[in-house]
């Protein structure tokens, strides 16, 4: 039976370290500032954004939230991001995705100043990650958090290990593959067009599932002893809990995979809590850089 990787515990450690470092920075005259922007009323996004703003306050940050109506014109959003770029009290800017269809999300992301892009989505930060300029980059929060969980089991150097990342999104799959490569793993990115995905997955010492399909990765896709990182968060019907009830599952069929893997992240309580923790870490890093102080290593 696989070891469970406790994302809640690791996230709490990260937040504790961020809070302690923030206190030092505040005493020296710089309060880390995070601005979160949400457009529209999507209930899931509202919940995510509220928890990001709340966690920022708990860390002692200056935390501002801009909640805009769904019909906000693109130019207005650009103007808001530009104002936040100029605001010296703000070190991190996060525009919650998805944005309404009439807004060009790519343009909004590229408007964020790269040195305040705590999501790590700007081309400058994508390029820095791809070329190994990690000292000045921002790494997207979910892959960064996944790497911290992986380190707990495998250490920082993944030399000689094979990693398969299932999913090629810009937010998770591609940056995750770059981080694994930077840690010396031998990396394959698999996706919906990959031939014989189960056989490929079975070659992986490190298997990362980031596709957004509930319980797609089965137990017999997992190499015995592998480390399985499940990035998926999917809400599915749970009639066994009562009519209309739902439950959260990952992209991995957890009970099956747990019987084969060496270590595995649960859902909920695995990668999920790490995303917000790493957003706090990135915001602290940004404030340290702005203040000319060396950021901590997480
Ligand atoms: N929507 C879902 N995940 C994310 C994220 O990590 N950042 C932003 N900005 N929006 C998201």
């Amino acid at each position: 039976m696989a070891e469970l990787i406790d994302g809640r515990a690791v996230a709490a450690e990260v937040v504790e370290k961020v809070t302690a470092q923030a206190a030092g920075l505040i005493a020296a005259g710089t309060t880390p500032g995070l601005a979160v922007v949400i457009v529209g009323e999507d209930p899931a996004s509202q919940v995510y954004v509220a928890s990001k703003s709340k966690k920022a306050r708990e860390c002692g940050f200056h935390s501002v939230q801009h909640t805009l109506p769904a019909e906000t014109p693109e130019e207005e959003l650009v103007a808001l991001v530009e104002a936040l770029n100029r605001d010296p009290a703000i070190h991190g800017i996060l525009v919650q995705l998805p944005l309404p269809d009439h807004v060009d999300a790519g343009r909004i992301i590229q408007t964020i100043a790269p040195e305040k892009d705590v999501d790590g989505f700007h081309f400058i930060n994508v390029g820095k990650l791809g070329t190994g300029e990690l000292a000045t980059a921002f790494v997207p929060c979910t892959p960064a958090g996944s790497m911290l969980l992986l380190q707990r089991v495998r250490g920082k150097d993944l030399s000689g290990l094979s990693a398969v990342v299932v999913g090629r999104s810009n937010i998770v799959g591609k940056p995750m593959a770059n981080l694994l490569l930077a840690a010396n793993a031998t990396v394959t990115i698999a996706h919906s067009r990959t031939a014989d995905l189960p056989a490929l997955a079975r070659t992986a010492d490190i298997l990362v599932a980031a596709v957004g399909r509930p319980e797609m990765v089965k137990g017999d896709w997992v190499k015995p002893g592998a480390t399985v990182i499940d990035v998926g968060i999917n809400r599915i019907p749970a009639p066994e809990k009562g009519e209309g009830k739902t439950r959260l599952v990952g992209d991995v069929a957890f009970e099956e995979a747990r019987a084969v893997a060496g270590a595995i992240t649960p859902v909920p309580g695995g990668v999920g809590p790490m995303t917000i923790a790493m957003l706090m870490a990135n915001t602290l890093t940004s404030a340290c850089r702005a203040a000319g102080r060396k950021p901590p290593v997480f």
Side-chain angles (χ1 to χ4, degrees):
M1 192 68 94
E3 171 193 345
L4 287 189
I5 307 172
D6 186 347
R8 288 194 186 106
V10 179
E13 284 173 35
V14 170
V15 168
E16 196 177 313
K17 189 165 173 178
V18 168
T19 306
Q21 294 275 332
L25 206 53
I26 292 164
T30 302
T31 301
L34 175 65
V36 179
V37 179
I38 178 166
V39 186
E41 280 87 41
D42 176 55
S45 291
Q46 298 267 5
V47 171
Y48 286 137
V49 161
S51 51
K52 288 170 184 176
S53 299
K54 179 163 172 265
K55 189 64 78 181
R57 285 193 297 277
E58 287 169 11
C59 290
F61 294 179
H62 169 55
S63 171
V64 288
Q65 184 175 326
H66 294 267
T67 305
L68 306 178
E71 56 278 8
T72 301
E74 183 173 310
E75 294 309 324
E76 206 171 294
L77 202 48
V78 167
L80 172 60
V81 170
E82 286 172 346
L84 293 169
N85 285 345
R86 289 189 299 269
D87 185 345
I90 296 298
H91 303 97
I93 302 170
L94 181 142
V95 179
Q96 185 69 19
L97 303 176
L99 287 168
D101 288 343
H102 71 275
V103 176
D104 177 353
R107 178 180 175 211
I108 302 301
I109 289 167
Q110 301 314 319
T111 302
I112 298 171
E115 66 275 13
K116 296 190 179 187
D117 169 37
V118 285
D119 256 331
F121 295 164
H122 192 286
F123 293 150
I124 292 274
N125 287 312
V126 174
K128 284 182 173 181
L129 172 58
T131 52
E133 295 288 322
L134 292 173
T136 62
F138 286 111
V139 176
C141 302
T142 301
S146 299
M147 286 302 289
L148 277 194
L149 296 184
L150 180 58
Q151 270 176 25
R152 295 294 167 122
V153 180
R154 297 284 191 170
K156 288 193 177 189
D157 184 359
L158 306 176
S159 294
L161 297 176
S162 64
V164 171
V165 180
V166 187
R168 54 173 159 178
S169 71
N170 290 332
I171 294 183
V172 181
K174 287 179 203 166
M176 187 71 200
N178 266 324
L179 287 168
L180 289 161
L181 190 58
N184 301 319
T186 302
V187 184
T188 306
I189 304 180
H191 47 78
S192 55
R193 306 294 181 94
T194 297
D196 203 348
L197 190 48
L200 176 66
R202 266 192 300 274
T203 67
D205 300 309
I206 297 159
L207 181 59
V208 180
V211 274
R213 282 170 168 254
E215 300 176 320
M216 182 177 106
V217 175
K218 307 299 181 199
D220 65 359
W221 295 30
V222 177
K223 178 176 175 175
T227 304
V228 177
I229 305 290
D230 188 353
V231 181
I233 301 177
N234 310 287
R235 193 165 281 285
I236 63 166
E240 72 279 5
K241 287 167 64 180
E243 199 189 317
K245 298 281 189 196
T246 60
R247 64 190 177 100
L248 290 180
V249 298
D251 292 349
V252 177
F254 179 74
E255 291 302 337
E256 290 177 16
R258 185 186 190 183
V260 186
I264 187 168
T265 60
V267 177
V271 172
M274 294 302 293
T275 298
I276 291 187
M278 297 318 289
L279 177 65
M280 300 305 124
N282 280 353
T283 305
L284 177 79
T285 295
S286 182
C288 286
R289 288 176 185 164
R293 282 165 73 119
K294 198 169 150 31
V297 176
F298 287 95

